[in-house]
Amino acid sequence: MENQRPSWTSRGTFILAAVGSAVGLGNIWRFPYIMGQNGGAIFLVIYLLIIMTICFVPLVAELSTGKITQKECIGAFESVNPKFKFIGALNPITGILIISFYFVVGGWILNYICLGFSKCGISDYGNYFTQFTQAPVANCLYTLIFLFICMFFTARGIKKGIEFANNVLMPLFALILIFLIISSLQLPNAHLGLEYMFKPDFSKINPHMFLVALGQALFTLSIGMGALFTYGSYIKEDSSIAKSAYTIIFSDTFFALLAGIMIFPAIFSFGLQPDSGAGLVFVTLPYIFAQIPNGNLVSILFFFLLAAAAITSGISMLEVSAAVFTERFKLSRIKACVLLFFLISLLAIPATLSFGILGDMKIIGKTVFEFLDFITSNLLMPLNTFFVCILAGWFLKIKGETFLKNKFFAKVFDIGLKYAVPAILLGLLYIGLK
Ligand code: PFF
């Protein structure tokens, strides 16, 4: 079975798929609104600091553990100690929980693409968004279609499915992004948006920002649910994990910045507020699209861009469980995907309906959607990241000197992997669950 494991065609396709996993709704939907709610440029400074330093360690840990063990998540933990397999199993479980709310947003995106084609003039996007998210049948249908699209690529396997999707969607994504940035920067007073992004006001700094920035950085890099772990396990050739990790971090940060450069100038140009939260992309931007020349086309392109990013990330989430089902339970890929489809639907449908008819169904005071987001971001992702660091640092004894030439940085990496990052993650867990 071992030598039947799939592998990447080349280092390039692996990097593209890993960047495709990292660049998603976290960059284009979540990052701008979180930045908008946390003071703009000052948040960016903190975020950059964290993503360039702390996040390098768990990113390398995840990729290396996958590459060294050449196993899906459960098998990798089990190979160190059979008792650890339950810890490994937290990864696909986290993945399924994340998919169940992430794909709801994927469904909204599909709806907005269709809306662009239907050319219907909507005057109040706030109202439209609330009403649409409450509509049970249409909403569930869009969520399931989004799930089906991602599943389609996962079912086709690494080369024909995952590599193909990333090879097509990522260049398209980059092209549309460039076009939209150029359009946004040409709007009157666009410079106000750039000032908001790049002129930090240090008086606004507060400790809460560090927490939000770390949570966002882990989420956007796809750390903590086994996606990069699984992608790393398909690396065969002797490619440098450190270089791959840098490339993923830089590309992801670059795209998050570009998303900001696309969104904030447009918002400031129309005198709107950047801190409207999750509705920024679904309410504020459509309002702007409705005012500009060729707004329908721009809207379709924007939501297509968002869909491309979400699909390449969604595929990586699905692959974690697909790998477990195919390798561990010896199911064919198609069977694994059908099973996953039903399993995910069981959670994704209540999450979708939590904006409408299931709005009153609360778990610890949260709707299903909010609960899934909370439990994964505040508990499971930091916990999984903690366990991967422990596995890599203490059991697999991964050392910085094997991939970092500079002795000082190698030492810092070792301390980070064994002590500092696990301690920070425990702190994050403590504060996140308080
Ligand atoms: N990194 C993705 C984003 O920014 O949207 C989300 C994500 C993908 C999280 C894959 C976790 C994961 F395993």
Side-chain angles (χ1 to χ4, degrees), residues 18-31 62 91 94-95 98 102 216-229 252 309-310 312-318 320 381:
V19 172
S21 168
V23 178
L25 296 181
N27 302 62
I28 302 172
W29 172 59
R30 215 164 177 243
F31 179 73
E62 260 210 35
N91 285 283
T94 309
I98 294 181
Y102 195 89
Q216 167 64 13
L218 292 178
F219 184 83
T220 190
L221 289 176
S222 306
I223 298 174
M225 59 144 285
L228 293 177
F229 194 124
D252 186 75
T312 50
S313 297
I315 292 172
S316 73
M317 297 180 193
L318 288 170
V320 180
M381 289 180 90

Side-chain angles (χ1 to χ4, degrees), residues 54-64 221-223 228 241 244-246 248-249 385:
I54 299 178
C55 290
F56 176 75
V57 174
L59 185 54
V60 167
E62 260 210 35
L63 289 172
S64 310
L221 289 176
S222 306
I223 298 174
L228 293 177
I241 290 291
S244 306
Y246 286 133
I248 295 167
I249 289 179
T385 313

Side-chain angles (χ1 to χ4, degrees), residues 82-132:
K83 283 191 200 132
F84 291 175
K85 69 178 173 205
F86 297 105
I87 298 176
L90 281 178
N91 285 283
I93 292 173
T94 309
I96 289 176
L97 297 179
I98 294 181
I99 290 169
S100 305
F101 74 89
Y102 195 89
F103 284 24
V104 175
V105 185
W108 297 346
I109 296 169
L110 293 186
N111 171 68
Y112 273 69
I113 295 178
C114 298
L115 194 68
F117 282 110
S118 74
K119 292 205 171 99
C120 59
I122 290 168
S123 51
D124 184 348
Y125 276 95
N127 210 357
Y128 174 79
F129 182 64
T130 316
Q131 276 183 4
F132 164 72

Side-chain angles (χ1 to χ4, degrees), residues 10 35 40 44 58 99 116 132 152 162 168 194 226 247 251 284 303 375:
S10 65
M35 192 171 155
L44 182 62
I99 290 169
F132 164 72
F152 171 79
I162 300 182
V168 174
L194 295 181
T247 315
S251 315
T284 316
F303 285 105
I375 191 110

Side-chain angles (χ1 to χ4, degrees), residues 312-331:
T312 50
S313 297
I315 292 172
S316 73
M317 297 180 193
L318 288 170
E319 184 56 26
V320 180
S321 303
V324 171
F325 284 178
T326 49
E327 286 171 37
R328 232 185 143 68
F329 304 123
K330 311 276 182 270
L331 293 183

